[in-house]
Amino acid sequence: MLELENLIGGELRASESKAWLDNVEPATGKPFARIPRSNAADVAAAVAAARSAFPGWSVTPFEQRAECLRKWGALIAQHSEALILAESQDNGKPVSLARAVDIPRAQKNLEFFAGAIEHFASDAHIPAGATHIHYTHRKPIGIVGCISPWNLPLYLFTWKIAPALAAGNCVIAKPSEVTPVTAWMLSKWAEEAGFPPGVFNVLHGLGHEAGQALVEHPEVKAISFTGGTQTGAHIARTTAGMFKKLSLELGGKNPAVIFADCDFEKAVATTIRSSFANQGQICLCSSRILIEDSIYDDFRDALVAKARRIVPGDPADQATKMGALVSAPHRDKVLGFIREAQELGATVLCGGEAALAPNERCETGYFVQPTVLEGLGPKCSINQQEIFGPVITLQRFHSEAEAVELANDSTYGLAATIWTQDAQKAHRVASNIESGIAWINCWLVRDLRTPFGGVKSSGVGREGGFEALRFFTEPQSVCIPTA
Ligand code: TXE
């Protein structure tokens, strides 16, 4: 069985606890690796290593820090096939998705922030006839914690650690205990990429143990977290009195607003993708499909026909488009939502059950059919809570105002997709929807320079581009007389 290690002070090692956790393959339900069950002693050791490394790393020229990130990106490219297979095995996602999205994007994240730090600059304020010049000195914060989830494991892990390291911080990263393998692989190449010992540390283990100890440690000055809204709220409460910098990227209950004047075929095809990609386990996935009354029946029928054709398969099979859900508890949670929907009177238009195992190897895997529900009101739990699986609901609207009202009838505010060929209406609706991100006639198109994050219960702060570099630096205003 594969045995993962923590990376502390440049050394790969087991936890001080000497305890291990099983790591299960979602497609088979069987353990294939074990990971250190890290605790507060491991956090203390990582903090000590990061503390020693910080004075050197924080003054390392930015070109050199960028070079380390680029080299790491090249190592991802060099080992991409192994990473693709590992990500698929660990998460249950199809290898085709890991190949097309997760692993190339992880490489891109490292390269992008290598470039970003080379172009990052701070402000100076010099009024005409100035007696004084004011400039902003952006300093690395020190030791920062990066906590990432299981749905896009290496993609989101690198999205956090890259800006943190580029800005000159020392990082203690905690990948999800559910999908730890690719972060461990990356940690093994940190030295080869040129990072001095202690600059980048990785701790494996449970959220409420290793994660909690990291969040609570007084020397960890900032936490960048992506995960569930409840966990985010808990981290905010834990750190409130410690005045840590926090970036929280949380859940979503994203509307797709389909107007009658949309490009019908494109809207159907993309809504299928935005609903069911990665088994619906992307915080940006559409989950509430709002359809204008005059095309409701046609759109529903076209969507359901396409959804019925998606059959979950063995993630290791190159042809598979939908894989397994990430864990047994998560599969049960998703099926529980579907049962609750039925009790509330929903009509199941397709799916609604655990899916049959695609082959003998996957007999005990966690497969769920793509599920389309209709007939539920906007206030019911199924239209309010994040399901985070291959489950969508359909609702009907009669006017632009009603569409916006339904879209905003949520405690979440991460992303929205809007389908119309009327550019002014598209702009109007986008600006009236309470969300951090709006896609018009497209979905999941990302420019890494743009701010990324949500409003309401979807989070606090923005990631991406210079926003991330600003988060991972502390601005100091300096004032100096001109004469
Ligand atoms: O996430 P957790 P879970 C949503 C989705 C899902 C729900 C719960 O709805 O069903 O969240 O998922 C670490 N201190 N999203 O429970 O627990 C944990 O170890 C510090 C949306 O799996 O939030 C992991 O590394 N860290 C989401 C990370 O937090 C703690 C992606 C995320 O796990 C901790 C995933 C603690 N007390 C789930 N407790 C998105 N926004 O994309 C846990 N962790």
Side-chain angles (χ1 to χ4, degrees):
M1 196 187 290
L2 197 61
E3 199 160 273
L4 276 55
E5 302 125 316
N6 290 332
L7 177 70
I8 300 177
E11 206 184 298
L12 289 158
R13 49 165 134 149
S15 165
E16 297 286 334
S17 74
K18 307 282 179 254
W20 300 87
L21 299 162
D22 275 347
N23 186 33
V24 171
E25 177 175 6
T28 63
K30 300 202 173 89
F32 70 101
R34 60 180 203 159
I35 69 168
R37 183 172 178 169
S38 306
N39 59 17
D42 299 303
V43 171
V47 166
R51 190 193 304 127
S52 313
F54 183 67
W57 184 246
S58 57
V59 298
T60 297
F62 66 83
E63 294 95 331
Q64 212 173 309
R65 297 199 300 256
E67 194 44 41
C68 293
L69 288 169
R70 287 208 175 88
K71 218 158 166 201
W72 227 9
L75 285 160
I76 290 185
Q78 191 184 318
H79 297 278
S80 70
E81 202 51 35
L83 286 164
I84 288 162
L85 297 180
E87 202 71 303
S88 169
Q89 181 179 30
D90 205 10
N91 172 277
K93 68 177 66 211
V95 277
S96 58
L97 188 66
R99 178 169 287 113
V101 177
D102 294 76
I103 303 308
R105 173 60 190 276
Q107 180 189 345
K108 180 84 192 151
N109 287 339
L110 300 181
E111 289 167 354
F112 173 81
F113 281 107
I117 197 64
E118 291 171 337
H119 296 274
F120 188 49
S122 60
D123 297 324
H125 297 90
I126 315 168
T131 56
H132 292 75
I133 293 174
H134 303 259
Y135 63 90
T136 307
H137 183 189
R138 286 206 160 263
K139 306 179 195 180
I141 301 172
I143 306 171
V144 301
C146 295
I147 301 175
S148 53
W150 46 257
N151 55 334
L152 301 165
L154 194 64
Y155 175 134
L156 290 175
F157 186 76
T158 49
W159 180 236
K160 294 184 179 303
I161 62 172
L165 291 165
N169 301 286
C170 290
V171 169
I172 303 174
K174 201 207 82 65
S176 170
E177 60 274 33
V178 185
T179 53
V181 176
T182 48
W184 168 70
M185 291 168 78
L186 191 69
S187 74
K188 291 202 291 182
W189 309 321
E191 188 183 348
E192 195 178 340
F195 293 101
V199 167
F200 174 67
N201 306 275
V202 182
L203 298 179
H204 296 281
L206 298 171
H208 67 273
E209 294 178 356
Q212 183 72 22
L214 180 60
V215 165
E216 282 175 356
H217 200 290
E219 285 181 69
V220 176
K221 297 294 180 202
I223 297 287
S224 174
F225 168 84
T226 298
T229 292
Q230 283 184 2
T231 313
H234 174 77
I235 290 174
R237 278 193 298 274
T238 305
T239 55
M242 303 171 89
F243 309 111
K244 293 188 191 225
K245 267 186 125 172
L246 272 193
S247 170
L248 302 175
E249 216 289 63
L250 310 175
K253 189 73 186 172
N254 308 310
V257 186
I258 320 283
F259 285 99
D261 63 352
C262 67
D263 176 335
F264 190 91
E265 294 305 324
K266 206 169 162 201
V268 171
T270 309
T271 303
I272 284 287
R273 210 162 54 80
S274 70
S275 302
F276 300 121
N278 206 38
Q279 298 72 248
Q281 301 167 134
I282 304 179
C283 54
L284 304 165
C285 275
S286 310
S287 55
R288 294 179 297 140
I289 316 301
L290 314 177
I291 308 163
E292 189 157 6
D293 183 55
S294 60
I295 60 159
Y296 183 91
D297 291 356
D298 290 345
F299 196 89
R300 173 196 59 199
D301 295 349
L303 201 66
V304 168
K306 269 199 171 11
R308 282 208 179 109
R309 287 205 286 275
I310 306 172
V311 180
D314 185 340
D317 183 340
Q318 303 292 335
T320 294
K321 294 275 183 293
M322 178 180 274
L325 297 203
V326 77
S327 66
H330 190 60
R331 184 256 333 258
D332 295 345
K333 181 173 153 185
V334 170
L335 290 174
F337 274 119
I338 298 173
R339 273 194 296 277
E340 189 179 329
Q342 286 169 297
E343 281 159 23
L344 289 167
T347 305
V348 179
L349 298 172
C350 80
E353 311 273 352
L356 292 176
N359 58 27
E360 214 176 307
R361 184 184 99 83
C362 298
E363 243 162 33
T364 42
Y366 315 133
F367 298 90
V368 173
Q369 297 170 338
T371 297
V372 182
L373 305 168
E374 110 182 309
L376 295 172
K379 303 280 183 214
C380 82
S381 53
I382 304 304
N383 275 324
Q384 290 294 330
Q385 293 181 39
E386 186 179 43
I387 298 176
F388 219 61
V391 181
I392 56 171
T393 64
L394 311 185
Q395 294 177 70
R396 197 185 288 263
F397 68 84
H398 301 83
S399 66
E400 184 183 318
E402 192 188 1
V404 170
E405 193 183 322
L406 283 172
N408 287 339
D409 194 350
S410 169
T411 55
Y412 293 104
L414 188 53
T417 52
I418 298 152
W419 291 91
T420 169
Q421 304 209 56
D422 177 339
Q424 284 167 341
K425 179 161 73 180
H427 172 72
R428 213 167 42 233
V429 171
S431 61
N432 286 330
I433 287 185
E434 297 154 359
S435 70
I437 302 149
W439 278 293
I440 297 166
N441 299 330
C442 61
W443 178 69
L444 209 61
V445 180
R446 290 277 299 127
D447 179 325
L448 302 189
R449 294 169 299 182
T450 56
F452 179 87
V455 299
K456 305 202 279 192
S457 297
S458 291
V460 176
R462 292 291 182 273
E463 299 184 316
F466 291 155
E467 298 278 349
L469 293 176
R470 285 189 201 104
F471 174 76
F472 283 116
T473 50
E474 196 67 79
Q476 180 186 35
S477 287
V478 183
C479 176
I480 184 168
T482 51

